[in-house]
Amino acid sequence: MSTKTEVNKKLMKHNKQLENRGRLLVKCPDKPGIVSVLSTFLHSHNSNIMESSQYSSDPENGTFFIRIEYHSDGLLEKSEQMEKDFEKIATNHSMEYEFAYPNERKRSAIFVSKEPHCLMELLWEWQNGDLDTDIVVAISNHEDARPIVEALGIPFHYIPANKDIRKQVEAEQIRLMDEYEVDLLILARYMQILTPDFVNHFERRVINIHHSFLPAFIGAGPYERAFERGVKLIGATSHYVTNNLDEGPIIEQDVERVDHRDDVIELKKIGRQIERRVLARAVKWHLENRIIVEGNKTIVFH
């Protein structure tokens, strides 16, 4: 395994390469000329478009979504002026927009309970340089994952949790998120229900993995219920957390075929593999600013 120092050295080199790269995400009423307006703006600031993906919900009176990744020499010095210049364009075209800069790495916290498979997948992706974030802390209501996390030099905080002390627990968790300046919370099989106060504090900043193909088998025990129902497909769903249990905007899903020979133990084994890859993909896409939330749905530019 790579040490934390080795990972940090790779990150410094990687961040230097990204200093002149930016991303622009836009949502606005669809009409002719939007792409031209955006490309003209970037051209006027000597920016070269590297990648562009777009989608219209309806070419007649629909909503237009676009993600543009661009390169611009001296972006660190001129990004503030670019954003200021864009404000008039956004107003004229009723745009909701976001500028993002890959060199400004987000800081992530991983919440985990007893099952470590999703945690380990995220840590592997991070060590391998494929998860563009700084994992700055892990939180758990069990001690099981401590050796895995601390072996990589990541702080681990054990906070026992149950419904009777939930308010105190979440107050401490929020304090830690502030202390570590966390941008993204990843629930890697953290088996506790979050209160509305906590969710509202981190709106659209909490990504969960649910061990079923939502909207099927919402809540606890989905593999047991899937077995009882005799399903032929099982899946996993990664979504943003809202105050409606397991009903937040879906980011990614995947499935595997099963049959009557697979008992609950086998279903869980297959399911863990799905959960790992689904959560990792969802987190990557969030970190790469590939997601635009529209109501309770997402537009994901792969």
Side-chain angles (χ1 to χ4, degrees):
M1 286 188 174
S2 301
T3 66
K4 189 173 182 180
T5 301
E6 289 170 339
V7 171
N8 286 338
K9 286 180 180 178
K10 292 178 183 177
L11 295 181
M12 290 175 64
K13 182 178 180 181
H14 181 61
N15 286 356
K16 189 70 177 176
Q17 295 171 341
L18 297 177
E19 285 182 356
N20 293 322
R21 190 173 299 180
R23 295 167 184 155
L24 174 59
L25 282 77
V26 171
K27 175 172 70 173
C28 65
D30 197 2
K31 62 181 179 180
I34 296 296
V35 174
S36 176
V37 167
L38 296 174
S39 58
T40 299
F41 165 78
L42 290 171
H43 180 259
S44 70
H45 288 83
N46 297 314
S47 301
N48 185 37
I49 295 175
M50 303 171 59
E51 179 183 333
S52 180
S53 302
Q54 64 196 61
Y55 165 73
S56 175
S57 63
D58 189 332
E60 297 182 5
N61 302 315
T63 302
F64 183 75
F65 307 85
I66 189 168
R67 176 191 185 273
I68 299 173
E69 188 152 347
Y70 60 92
H71 178 275
S72 189
D73 288 336
L75 185 59
L76 286 177
E77 292 75 28
K78 66 184 184 183
S79 59
E80 186 176 346
Q81 185 61 50
M82 284 181 68
E83 292 188 31
K84 186 176 180 180
D85 292 346
F86 192 76
E87 290 176 3
K88 185 176 180 180
I89 294 173
T91 300
N92 290 343
H93 297 279
S94 302
M95 292 176 174
E96 296 179 31
Y97 67 96
E98 176 190 2
F99 281 92
Y101 305 97
N103 69 302
E104 297 176 357
R105 287 169 61 86
K106 291 183 173 66
R107 296 167 62 84
S108 297
I110 301 179
F111 284 54
V112 63
S113 289
K114 284 190 171 184
E115 297 190 60
H117 54 284
C118 288
L119 165 71
M120 294 179 72
E121 183 74 14
L122 294 170
L123 293 175
W124 165 249
E125 294 280 0
W126 172 71
Q127 287 178 276
N128 202 36
D130 291 329
L131 204 61
D132 200 14
T133 187
D134 294 326
I135 299 175
V136 295
V137 66
I139 308 289
S140 183
N141 56 328
H142 296 276
E143 288 278 11
D144 302 55
R146 182 184 292 276
I148 300 169
V149 172
E150 290 187 341
L152 297 176
I154 299 169
F156 179 91
H157 291 266
Y158 165 58
I159 307 176
N162 60 62
K163 61 182 180 181
D164 297 325
I165 58 171
R166 191 157 285 152
K167 187 173 182 179
Q168 303 96 292
V169 167
E170 290 189 345
E172 175 62 9
Q173 290 171 342
I174 290 172
R175 186 192 69 78
L176 287 170
M177 296 305 97
D178 291 341
E179 178 183 328
Y180 286 98
E181 300 178 321
V182 169
D183 301 301
L184 176 65
L185 283 67
I186 308 167
L187 307 185
R189 293 302 304 273
Y190 181 66
M191 309 307 288
Q192 292 287 312
I193 295 175
L194 305 177
T195 68
D197 287 344
F198 188 91
V199 173
N200 293 338
H201 195 89
F202 301 103
E203 186 178 7
R204 291 185 188 172
R205 293 166 56 197
V206 185
I207 294 178
N208 183 46
I209 182 69
H210 183 70
H211 42 314
S212 82
F213 192 78
L214 295 175
F217 308 124
I218 288 173
Y223 291 120
E224 288 79 2
R225 287 184 286 150
F227 176 73
E228 291 169 3
R229 187 64 182 85
V231 302
K232 305 308 178 190
L233 287 171
I234 62 168
T237 303
S238 189
H239 62 93
Y240 287 113
V241 174
T242 65
N243 287 317
N244 296 319
L245 180 63
D246 296 331
E247 293 187 9
I250 291 172
I251 303 170
E252 173 63 339
Q253 295 180 292
D254 205 352
V255 296
E256 292 282 356
R257 294 200 66 83
V258 296
D259 63 27
H260 58 277
R261 299 176 184 86
D262 298 314
D263 59 15
V264 173
I265 294 174
E266 188 63 25
L267 293 184
K268 288 183 177 181
K269 187 184 298 184
I270 297 168
R272 290 187 191 105
Q273 297 174 2
I274 311 172
E275 293 164 25
R276 288 162 47 193
R277 63 180 183 255
V278 167
L279 180 59
R281 284 199 293 255
V283 170
K284 282 182 186 180
W285 294 338
H286 176 92
L287 295 170
E288 293 172 2
N289 310 104
R290 295 188 178 276
I291 305 166
I292 299 177
V293 176
E294 172 68 353
N296 201 42
K297 299 168 68 175
T298 59
I299 310 300
V300 182
F301 295 113
H302 298 160

